[in-house]
Amino acid sequence: MAHILDGLFTVYFAIHIPITILIDSQVILPRFLIPDFLHNAVVWYSQTMKDPMVLDPPGWYCSFVLCELLLQLPFFFPATYAFWKGGCKWIQIPAIVYSSHVVTTVMAIIAHILVHNFDGSHYGGPSTTKERVMLACVYLPFLIIPLLILFKMVFSREYNDKGKKD
């Protein structure tokens, strides 16, 4: 099971690198820096999934994306390596910090999706329960996988056996 989780975490961090740079960064970068095909992809996603936050983000959402770019993106590279290699105990504390931060931010995003009134949004938003649940499900893997990382780092013998050396 440990190797399966390490593989999942490797893929999770590896795919986060291009997603953060090419997609998520559009929330805070000036429009003229974004190629049309990337902007159009985000517009398509926003319209399809009824996610107005990526085109008309609230200030708090922008702060989450800024943290993703400045704090999380640099972490994705060593995290990808550590979980690909396996058994790298030095990743434990940074992974706990990362996963705690992401769980907190994604919980806020999902709560916003489930309870916010999007009627005033320029780009629309989920209005039915089904649309809200569908959009929340888009964000759900970014809650579940960091929770798995957190639990592994805190409770796994691999990272908590005091008798083993690094």
Side-chain angles (χ1 to χ4, degrees):
M1 181 66 151
H3 296 299
I4 292 171
L5 284 177
D6 285 347
L8 174 66
F9 300 160
T10 300
V11 170
Y12 171 84
F13 286 114
I15 65 169
H16 246 77
I17 295 166
I19 290 171
T20 298
I21 295 168
L22 301 174
I23 305 298
D24 295 351
S25 66
Q26 293 186 42
V27 168
I28 59 172
L29 291 177
R31 173 64 181 97
F32 72 88
L33 292 176
I34 303 162
D36 287 339
F37 76 96
L38 288 176
H39 176 72
N40 292 341
V42 171
V43 170
W44 172 85
Y45 159 78
S46 177
Q47 292 171 346
T48 303
M49 296 308 300
K50 299 187 182 235
D51 188 349
M53 292 185 292
V54 296
L55 294 177
D56 187 22
W60 58 265
Y61 189 84
C62 292
S63 71
F64 289 175
V65 173
L66 186 62
C67 287
E68 182 180 1
L69 284 168
L70 298 178
L71 303 175
Q72 296 176 24
L73 180 60
F75 173 71
F76 295 158
F77 295 92
T80 300
Y81 170 79
F83 290 112
W84 173 74
K85 185 177 181 210
C88 297
K89 291 187 180 201
W90 51 265
I91 200 68
Q92 182 183 25
I93 299 301
I96 290 171
V97 171
Y98 165 80
S99 57
S100 298
H101 172 73
V102 172
V103 165
T104 303
T105 60
V106 175
M107 284 296 294
I109 292 167
I110 291 173
H112 181 75
I113 290 166
L114 295 175
V115 302
H116 182 71
N117 181 352
F118 290 97
D119 289 345
S121 174
H122 178 68
Y123 294 98
S127 55
T128 67
T129 301
K130 180 181 178 183
E131 291 171 346
R132 290 176 184 276
V133 170
M134 291 292 292
L135 181 55
C137 285
V138 169
Y139 287 91
L140 201 57
F142 304 100
L143 173 67
I144 293 171
I145 294 173
L147 276 171
L148 291 172
I149 293 167
L150 181 61
F151 291 148
K152 180 171 181 169
M153 295 298 112
V154 172
F155 299 113
S156 166
R157 285 189 191 177
E158 179 181 359
Y159 291 95
N160 293 293
D161 187 356
K162 305 293 184 211
K164 288 188 175 179
K165 298 285 183 194
D166 209 350

